[in-house]
Amino acid sequence: MKTTRLLSLLALAAMFGFSSCQQEEADVTANEISPLTKAKISEMGFNTDNVQRTEGGYIVEGDIFFSDSDLQHSPETTALRVGEEEQYRTNNLVSVGTSRTINVAITTSLPSSYVTALDEAIRRFNAENLRLKFRRVSSGYNILLSKAPAGSSYLASAGFPSGGNPYNSIKVNSDYLGTNPGTNYLATILAHEIGHTIGFRHTDYMNRAYSCGGSYYNEGASTVGAVHIPGTPTGADPNSWMLACIGTGVNRYFNSNDRTALQYLYQ
């Protein structure tokens, strides 16, 4: 997200600011993003403005991670609804069955206050009485929270589910957030990233300017999936936990539309 000084939630570089393919990659510097990579990102339905290179891949839309191997797969095309401010999910979700518990661990590279915030994020999901539950563990995890690489220009990042499983990593920029950014603010950020790992896209994916400021853009049909969740609004939704940006220190619990989306997918 971002602050109204607007700090990307999840990131925002703006606020701090493969044989023939291999040759093209070799022609760009370590900090540049090649036209080929941007084309692959665009093909997946994501905006290519401010793409950031990071350890093992790329950050797009402020906080969504794609590995180099992710960009090599041919995306699956799905019919989409693209338009106003609504709740969106990806094509891939977490397989649940009658119930499923996702184990979440956090490394000691993050301050102890982050454990408290993670517990609060987990409590928020579990309070919704979904078939999908979360539990903090010290080993045997499905999702691991760890420190973002030094010099990262995003607040936190995560990827989308695959093979019926949640994305297994959330990176958190504790260098920027500090040792004690506030439990509810940090819990909001972590709950947002967990939302990505179980298949949620940004509520304002069709117009990030809604929560982040700047100029309007609608990314159009996406092959990774931007599928409208029935029952969520077709008008603006100013308090959704999956909005792309958030003011520093702001606390967002799930609003009624978020609950509708969570229940539709996982209850």
Side-chain angles (χ1 to χ4, degrees), residues 59-223:
I59 301 293
V60 304
E61 295 186 19
D63 71 321
I64 299 168
F65 175 80
F66 286 115
S67 68
D68 292 310
S69 62
D70 289 335
L71 299 183
Q72 297 310 303
H73 298 305
S74 297
E76 173 189 351
T77 302
T78 297
L80 310 170
R81 174 180 179 177
V82 179
E84 307 302 323
E85 288 81 2
E86 301 144 334
Q87 293 280 4
Y88 290 89
R89 66 171 177 86
T90 59
N91 296 331
N92 295 325
L93 296 174
V94 175
S95 299
V96 177
T98 55
S99 66
R100 181 174 179 182
T101 297
I102 302 299
N103 292 329
V104 186
I106 183 169
T107 70
T108 56
S109 63
L110 292 170
S112 59
S113 62
Y114 287 49
V115 176
T116 304
L118 175 59
D119 286 343
E120 169 60 17
I122 288 172
R123 186 200 64 77
R124 294 182 186 189
F125 280 101
N126 290 343
E128 298 306 311
N129 296 314
L130 307 173
R131 287 179 297 137
L132 189 63
K133 307 294 184 184
F134 294 87
R135 173 177 59 192
R136 182 166 62 83
V137 297
S138 57
S139 62
Y141 60 83
N142 304 111
I143 302 172
L144 178 66
L145 276 69
S146 58
K147 187 179 185 297
S152 296
S153 55
Y154 54 86
L155 291 188
S157 68
F160 294 125
S162 63
N165 295 309
Y167 188 76
N168 64 5
S169 176
I170 296 174
K171 301 288 188 181
V172 188
N173 191 348
S174 56
D175 287 340
Y176 181 83
L177 288 166
T179 58
N180 190 17
T183 297
N184 286 326
Y185 171 53
L186 183 54
T188 300
I189 293 173
L190 299 183
H192 179 110
E193 297 305 335
I194 291 171
H196 284 316
T197 70
I198 63 174
F200 283 89
R201 288 196 66 170
H202 293 138
T203 305
D204 53 348
Y205 113 95
M206 83 307 299
N207 180 15
R208 281 173 58 88
Y210 179 72
S211 68
C212 300
S215 59
Y216 171 93
Y217 67 75
N218 185 316
E219 294 165 13
S222 163
T223 48

Side-chain angles (χ1 to χ4, degrees), residues 1-13 15-16 61-63 153-157 176-177 185-193 196 202-204 208 211-212 239-252:
M1 300 177 183
K2 183 178 169 174
T3 76
T4 340
R5 294 181 355 193
L6 288 169
L7 199 190
S8 192
L9 190 187
L10 309 165
L12 264 178
M15 288 313 297
F16 303 94
E61 295 186 19
D63 71 321
S153 55
Y154 54 86
L155 291 188
S157 68
Y176 181 83
L177 288 166
Y185 171 53
L186 183 54
T188 300
I189 293 173
L190 299 183
H192 179 110
E193 297 305 335
H196 284 316
H202 293 138
T203 305
D204 53 348
R208 281 173 58 88
S211 68
C212 300
N239 296 309
S240 172
W241 111 100
M242 289 308 296
L243 286 173
C245 296
I246 190 172
T248 299
V250 170
N251 176 26
R252 283 187 185 140

